[in-house]
Amino acid sequence: MIADAIPLPPGPAVPCIGPEALEPTDPAPPPPPEVDPPPPPAYPWLAVAGPPGPPGSTGLVNLAQNIRSYTSNAQYSPSSNTKHITVHVIGAGGGGGSGEELGGEESADHRPFGGGGGGGYCIGSYSITGSFTGNVVVGGGGAGANPSNQQPRSGSTGGNSSFQPSGSYSGQGQIVGNGGGGAYSTGSGGGAGASGGLNFTGHTGQPVHGSSGQHGSGEAGRGGPGGHGDAQYGRGANGNTTPNAQAGQSGNAGFVYIFEYIGT
């Protein structure tokens, strides 16, 4: 006797595969081409940012320049917000020579005299860090020789020009441009030196060129330029040409000028 059949639950539906489902599909697209990786940086240590550094100083903003000039003695006070100065001092030139009075036939003789020496020139540099002043001295030109009926006379030495700083600063101390030497009769005055900073020596004056006397035709010496090379300030006196006891010419005065560098 056959037992009763036990019913089974329905299974999953099986799709019907027809002939069209067995046809081949489109091929898959090719993979993208490989791309080379970028080269490493030339300086690998620059590619990694480090920690931030400390803040820097603010520095100077709106830097400007101002010039102060002096033809006589004065007390210098810097303009507002001046951070640095350069000071230029030029010593005065020496005076020209003279000689004795001539009489008789000699009173018409040709007599040239020598030129005075140029003053020295010096440059000083100062950084101002607080309250600051400076004493400015400007040398006067050396006087020409006084006339004499006894003997030849020399012109006077020119005056020194200087700058003496005081207060809170760094840089040079006092700087000096010495005055040029006075000429002696037909000779010449020596050029002067300088001290304290960047120094330049003045030029020696010229002596008489050629002969003097009744038939003389010599030329008086010209004054030597100062170490600054300026045609005016610090130049020695030119020599005179005269048979008389005439006073020599005076040398040119010195000069001081200051460059101020201003920042806020």
Side-chain angles (χ1 to χ4, degrees), residues 87-211:
V87 183
H88 303 248
V89 298
I90 306 170
S98 184
E100 70 271 19
E101 182 79 42
L102 299 179
E105 295 180 353
E106 294 179 333
S107 62
D109 283 359
H110 179 83
R111 290 205 309 164
F113 295 95
Y121 168 50
C122 187
I123 305 172
S125 178
Y126 307 88
S127 293
I128 298 173
T129 56
S131 178
F132 181 87
T133 59
N135 187 45
V136 175
V137 174
V138 179
N146 291 323
S148 170
N149 59 5
Q150 300 292 329
Q151 59 186 0
R153 294 289 181 91
S154 295
S156 299
T157 299
N160 297 344
S161 295
S162 63
F163 180 81
Q164 176 65 64
S166 178
S168 180
Y169 71 96
S170 61
Q172 275 81 35
Q174 183 185 44
I175 58 174
V176 181
N178 298 320
Y184 175 75
S185 187
T186 58
S188 61
S195 62
L198 182 59
N199 308 317
F200 300 87
T201 300
H203 295 262
T204 299
Q206 295 178 345
V208 169
H209 296 276
S211 61

Side-chain angles (χ1 to χ4, degrees), residues 21-52:
L22 300 177
E23 294 180 358
T25 61
D26 293 336
E34 293 185 1
V35 179
D36 294 334
Y43 304 99
W45 59 87
L46 296 180
V48 179

